[in-house]
Amino acid sequence: MRLAELSRRSGVATATIKFYLREGLLPAGRRVSSTQAEYDEEHLRRLQLVRALIQVGGISVAAAREVLTAVDDSSVDQVSRMGTAVAALPQPLPGPAADDPGAATADRVAREVQERLGWRVVPENPAHQALVSAISALLRLGYPCDGAALLPYGELAGRLAEHELSLVEEFAAPTTQLEAAVALTVLYEPVLLSLRRLAQAEQATRRLRDGIPPR
Amino acid sequence: MRLAELSRRSGVATATIKFYLREGLLPAGRRVSSTQAEYDEEHLRRLQLVRALIQVGGISVAAAREVLTAVDDSSVDQVSRMGTAVAALPQPLPGPAADDPGAATADRVAREVQERLGWRVVPENPAHQALVSAISALLRLGYPCDGAALLPYGELAGRLAEHELSLVEEFAAPTTQLEAAVALTVLYEPVLLSLRRLAQAEQATRRLRDGIPPR
């Protein structure tokens, strides 16, 4: 298809598509004349992923490029590609500051919850570092936060991950699976957070208005 | 306690505390001389909440002021105060654009999942609008997203909310409960998101490396 059709089918303006092409977020089309190029379904899928990352995920062009480079890196195995691509997504929090006095305790709690769940601890995963920061903040503010308090969150996260990896496996090609893993990670974060807010409102209303005792 | 002690106990620099006082995020201390004021445990707690909102939650001073105004508004009942305070927190996504052609379908899906869960649907809750935006993006990108696909996320969010409201109820005073509700909403978001990323990495490693079949 030509650029105009790619724009129509994706809902992305041609000027934006040209910007993504220049920035290397979208591979060049197949040249059919000095002024025209031909695009295929793969370009359409990649364009939708770029839009998800940038428009929904609020991810910078530089971070999106890093994610896509990992997705396309066929020199390493599928697990490493997925790990690198997802790790290149912006984290919920930066890792703990070098002078954070609570980081060591928070790191112990982060390890404890993962060990209790039977997960391998990979301290260099930026998500582990983000978890350490979050735990350190909770402890500093005097909120209870030990391995036991985090266990329900970890168990639920584990069930979501099983569900999500099953969705990803429904895509046939390795690269399409990686694209889906990245897209679902980004797109389901606001789903999860907004449902949690709605659930809290529902619970608060039930408990405080109707006097339903806590279970 | 004096300003210096409030700073020492909270770990917040005196210049930052003075800024929060000027911005109305922290109530003034009790004047004891023309140059000195006395602060109490309530100031310390409020200061820790402000720090959680701004430093961990990345919330603007204006948004933090709006949240705290709702927490302190004793003219309305506890449920309304909690609802207003949590709704004033930044949302995971803005609501759908007025010209979003997928918003109506997404709104139906958002209502369906909440109805299936037995939750009251409150369309004016900004979290409902954020959910509609997220669903609209998923559908636009061609990812499966109907009431059934969202149900596991809603069920898990519901269980988290039960757990969290129980934590909040352990605080005795109504204002302290509201402060805890706001703080836990903000501080547990990065916990949940980072655990989800770690769970995905664990699942991906298990499935792709060890060949464990999907359950």
Side-chain angles (χ1 to χ4, degrees):
Chain A
M1 73 191 101
R2 296 297 160 84
L3 186 66
E5 195 187 340
L6 183 64
S7 168
R8 193 184 52 71
R9 285 186 59 194
S10 64
V12 178
T14 55
T16 308
I17 298 177
K18 285 179 181 170
F19 170 72
Y20 292 159
L21 284 164
R22 275 199 307 279
E23 290 288 334
L25 297 178
L26 200 61
R30 192 172 51 83
R31 279 260 156 248
V32 289
S33 79
S34 62
T35 57
Q36 289 200 307
E38 185 73 20
Y39 301 92
D40 57 22
E41 296 301 316
E42 215 173 298
H43 287 96
L44 179 62
R45 225 183 45 233
R46 176 58 57 101
L47 183 54
Q48 286 170 327
L49 176 61
V50 169
R51 197 163 72 150
L53 291 174
I54 293 179
Q55 291 184 8
V56 183
I59 292 169
S60 71
V61 167
R65 195 187 294 115
E66 201 181 329
V67 171
L68 296 174
T69 303
V71 165
D72 292 331
D73 181 4
S74 54
S75 74
V76 294
D77 67 75
Q78 181 84 347
V79 174
S80 305
R81 279 161 85 184
M82 192 176 296
T84 309
V86 172
L89 292 170
Q91 294 297 318
L93 275 183
D99 62 348
D100 179 348
T105 306
D107 186 64
R108 263 199 306 280
V109 174
R111 285 167 188 268
E112 186 197 334
V113 65
Q114 293 176 81
E115 280 158 9
R116 282 205 196 194
L117 291 159
W119 302 354
R120 263 153 287 211
V121 174
V122 185
E124 62 273 22
N125 186 330
H128 179 91
Q129 295 302 319
L131 180 60
V132 171
S133 278
I135 294 170
S136 176
L138 279 159
L139 293 174
R140 196 170 57 231
L141 296 170
Y143 289 104
C145 183
D146 55 16
L150 293 180
L151 210 53
Y153 292 85
E155 283 166 356
L156 299 182
R159 261 177 268 168
L160 287 184
E162 275 188 40
H163 173 72
E164 288 164 345
L165 269 283
S166 298
L167 282 179
V168 164
E169 282 172 350
E170 288 172 18
F171 293 90
T175 301
T176 321
Q177 283 193 357
L178 288 168
E179 288 181 352
V182 168
L184 293 174
T185 297
V186 170
L187 295 171
Y188 269 99
E189 284 191 355
V191 168
L192 185 57
L193 296 184
S194 50
L195 280 169
R196 173 172 172 254
R197 299 251 184 124
L198 293 170
Q200 288 172 336
E202 172 68 23
Q203 272 289 317
T205 306
R206 281 193 206 173
R207 288 181 185 215
L208 299 169
R209 186 157 289 162
D210 308 338
I212 292 173
R215 281 191 214 169
Chain B
M1 72 190 101
R2 296 296 158 85
L3 187 65
E5 195 188 340
L6 183 63
S7 168
R8 192 185 52 72
R9 286 186 57 195
S10 63
V12 178
T14 56
T16 307
I17 298 177
K18 286 180 182 169
F19 171 72
Y20 292 159
L21 285 163
R22 275 200 307 278
E23 290 288 333
L25 297 178
L26 200 63
R30 192 173 51 84
R31 281 258 156 250
V32 288
S33 80
S34 60
T35 56
Q36 289 200 307
E38 185 73 20
Y39 302 91
D40 57 22
E41 297 298 317
E42 215 172 299
H43 286 95
L44 179 62
R45 225 183 44 234
R46 177 58 56 100
L47 183 54
Q48 287 170 326
L49 176 61
V50 169
R51 197 163 71 151
L53 291 173
I54 293 179
Q55 291 183 8
V56 183
I59 293 169
S60 71
V61 167
R65 195 187 295 114
E66 202 182 327
V67 170
L68 296 174
T69 303
V71 165
D72 292 330
D73 181 5
S74 55
S75 74
V76 294
D77 66 74
Q78 181 84 348
V79 175
S80 307
R81 279 162 85 183
M82 192 176 297
T84 309
V86 172
L89 292 171
Q91 294 298 317
L93 276 183
D99 62 349
D100 180 347
T105 306
D107 186 65
R108 265 200 304 282
V109 174
R111 285 168 189 266
E112 187 198 332
V113 65
Q114 292 176 81
E115 280 159 8
R116 281 204 194 194
L117 290 159
W119 301 356
R120 263 153 288 211
V121 175
V122 184
E124 63 273 21
N125 186 331
H128 179 91
Q129 295 303 319
L131 180 59
V132 171
S133 279
I135 294 169
S136 176
L138 279 159
L139 293 174
R140 196 170 58 231
L141 297 171
Y143 289 105
C145 184
D146 55 15
L150 294 180
L151 210 53
Y153 292 85
E155 282 167 356
L156 300 182
R159 260 176 270 168
L160 287 183
E162 274 188 41
H163 173 72
E164 288 164 344
L165 268 285
S166 297
L167 282 179
V168 164
E169 281 172 351
E170 286 172 18
F171 294 90
T175 300
T176 320
Q177 284 193 355
L178 289 168
E179 288 181 352
V182 168
L184 293 174
T185 296
V186 169
L187 295 171
Y188 269 99
E189 284 190 356
V191 168
L192 185 56
L193 296 184
S194 49
L195 280 169
R196 174 172 171 254
R197 299 250 184 124
L198 293 169
Q200 289 172 335
E202 173 67 22
Q203 272 290 316
T205 307
R206 281 192 208 175
R207 289 183 183 214
L208 298 170
R209 186 158 288 161
D210 308 337
I212 291 173
R215 281 192 214 170

